Amino acid sequence: MKEFLAFPCCPVRGMRAWLALGFALLMGLTGCSTAPPDGITVVSPFDVNRYAGKWYEIARMDHSFERGLSEVSATYRLQPDGSVQVVNRGFDSARQDWKEAVGKAVFTGDTHRGALKVSFFGPFYGGYNVAALDPSYRWSLVVGPDRGYVWILSRDKQLTPEVREQVLAQARKLGIDVDRLIWVAQTRPDA
């Protein structure tokens, strides 16, 4: 299994120094922001224990660090120190291989708010803001430091058409350009 760094997912193969520089520049351009974008309020109350476990990536904005990956999932495990271990996994169809990265998330304030920051590479953190969440914790809409970083996650590999439209409606209300979303294949039986 090959390694990949993620925000939440970022494929890498033998280019740590280059990627670190690129990520540092990206964080510099976004002001190392971990706060939600203007006009987006994070979910509160938020229960990290209920959020823990495996989530499937249903849709995302296109970024080079996830390009070509399908079957993407994220598993969140609460750690004794209050942080959250993040294990991202995706299938690179070009290489016919799984890629995985392990990171760390910490709350940016009150632990009952869905505002976290995630790091997969040293001291560099990116915002992980839960902008909408199913009351039963079956789906989640996550936004990074701006509306160009968006993920729709689900406990199931697919959303029903009704739930999909509900999530998209919430995303539109938050000013997210849902036409830019890429719908992630979740069809492999070994995922």
Side-chain angles (χ1 to χ4, degrees):
M1 187 177 321
K2 305 285 188 285
E3 172 183 330
F4 77 102
L5 298 175
F7 179 74
C9 296
C10 177
V12 175
R13 187 174 162 99
M15 295 185 189
R16 281 190 183 274
W18 179 84
L19 188 77
L21 176 61
F23 192 72
L25 290 172
L26 173 65
M27 290 294 98
L29 291 174
T30 61
C32 294
S33 177
T34 59
D38 289 340
I40 294 182
T41 303
V42 297
V43 169
S44 182
F46 176 80
D47 183 346
V48 70
N49 291 303
R50 290 183 69 196
Y51 200 80
K54 187 171 187 173
W55 292 84
Y56 295 97
E57 185 181 89
I58 303 300
R60 66 174 179 253
M61 291 294 186
D62 184 32
H63 291 287
S64 61
F65 49 78
E66 283 190 278
R67 199 161 288 139
L69 294 182
S70 63
E71 317 298 333
V72 179
S73 66
T75 302
Y76 305 102
R77 293 184 187 99
L78 192 59
Q79 302 299 294
D81 66 358
S83 69
V84 178
Q85 180 191 55
V86 181
V87 179
N88 285 347
R89 188 170 191 251
F91 188 76
D92 183 334
S93 58
R95 298 186 193 281
Q96 291 294 299
D97 199 8
W98 288 96
K99 295 185 176 191
E100 185 173 284
V102 178
K104 176 181 177 179
V106 294
F107 284 93
T108 60
D110 183 344
T111 59
H112 293 99
R113 294 180 65 245
L116 297 96
K117 59 183 182 179
V118 180
S119 176
F120 288 88
F121 193 79
F124 302 106
Y125 281 86
Y128 184 100
N129 301 290
V130 181
L133 180 63
D134 174 60
S136 299
Y137 286 64
R138 301 301 307 162
W139 59 261
S140 175
L141 175 64
V142 177
V143 180
D146 63 50
R147 287 172 177 81
Y149 295 93
V150 176
W151 293 267
I152 296 174
L153 307 176
S154 174
R155 296 292 190 178
D156 303 304
K157 289 186 174 187
Q158 305 293 324
L159 295 176
T160 66
E162 298 81 19
V163 171
R164 178 177 163 157
E165 190 48 48
Q166 177 186 359
V167 177
L168 291 175
Q170 290 205 25
R172 285 184 197 100
K173 286 181 190 175
L174 297 174
I176 295 166
D177 182 359
V178 299
D179 293 331
R180 291 182 49 213
L181 289 171
I182 293 173
W183 298 92
V184 180
Q186 293 285 354
T187 57
R188 291 181 66 90
D190 58 345

